[in-house]
Amino acid sequence: MAVSLAFGAVMLAQTGSSQEKEMLAAHNAVRKRVGVPPLVWSAQLARAAGAWAQTLVRNGKFEHQKRNPYGENLFEAMGTTASPTEVVDSWAEEAKNYKYEKNSCSGTCGHYTQIVWRGTKEVGCASATSGNRQVWACEYNPPGNYVGQRPY
């Protein structure tokens, strides 16, 4: 569903929409590669993600929420737009930096490990745009990325 706002548009990936299906399939394809159960879509998390994406676009910022009860992945595109698959693929590329044997990361791994976190059961995502800027947010419940714990 598209909602027109003074500063841009927010796309909420709702249950049953093509955007929701693509986002969920992209997440679950990454999870399948490491043998963790698939996620289910949460409209509640999608609404939370949409509210945060709106806030980031409105304020011109790009940062994680403080005191967020969920896990969170963010993506920003300037001068272009990204599809749900492109967003998830960009996060999944961090797999090359994660070493399961040592449970260590050389570089950035947090987006990837949140996607494949075994204990996470549901996801909801949304994007917001303003001018030539697009921001995606995904919220995960329960959250992952606990120091010292393996994601799967």
Side-chain angles (χ1 to χ4, degrees):
M1 162 172 102
V3 180
S4 293
L5 302 169
F7 60 88
V10 176
M11 297 300 294
L12 296 178
Q14 295 185 341
T15 303
S17 75
S18 62
Q19 186 182 35
E20 173 262 327
K21 289 176 184 173
E22 182 181 348
M23 183 61 81
L24 188 60
H27 274 83
N28 287 333
V30 176
R31 292 174 66 87
K32 185 176 182 177
R33 289 194 288 257
V34 296
V36 294
L39 297 174
V40 297
W41 189 257
S42 166
Q44 176 183 340
L45 293 177
R47 285 189 298 275
W52 187 241
Q54 279 180 241
T55 298
L56 293 174
V57 166
R58 184 175 52 247
N59 295 339
K61 295 185 177 183
F62 189 71
E63 61 191 12
H64 289 285
Q65 297 182 69
K66 294 171 180 55
R67 295 181 288 280
N68 185 0
Y70 308 119
E72 183 174 74
N73 279 349
L74 301 175
F75 178 90
E76 180 179 45
M78 299 293 286
T80 187
T81 58
S83 72
T85 299
E86 291 168 332
V87 171
V88 174
D89 285 352
S90 75
W91 294 330
E93 285 178 20
E94 295 175 3
K96 67 182 181 280
N97 301 328
Y98 179 69
K99 305 300 179 232
Y100 182 83
E101 302 75 29
K102 295 183 179 183
N103 193 30
S104 66
C105 178
S106 58
T108 303
C109 298
H111 301 100
Y112 167 70
T113 54
Q114 177 57 79
I115 291 171
V116 298
W117 198 264
R118 179 177 294 282
T120 298
K121 306 295 183 203
E122 54 185 2
V123 64
C125 305
S127 67
T129 59
S130 179
N132 69 345
R133 181 174 181 234
Q134 180 188 44
V135 173
W136 281 91
C138 286
E139 305 294 336
Y140 302 85
N141 189 43
N145 289 336
Y146 293 104
V147 175
Q149 293 184 22
R150 292 182 191 275
Y152 53 89

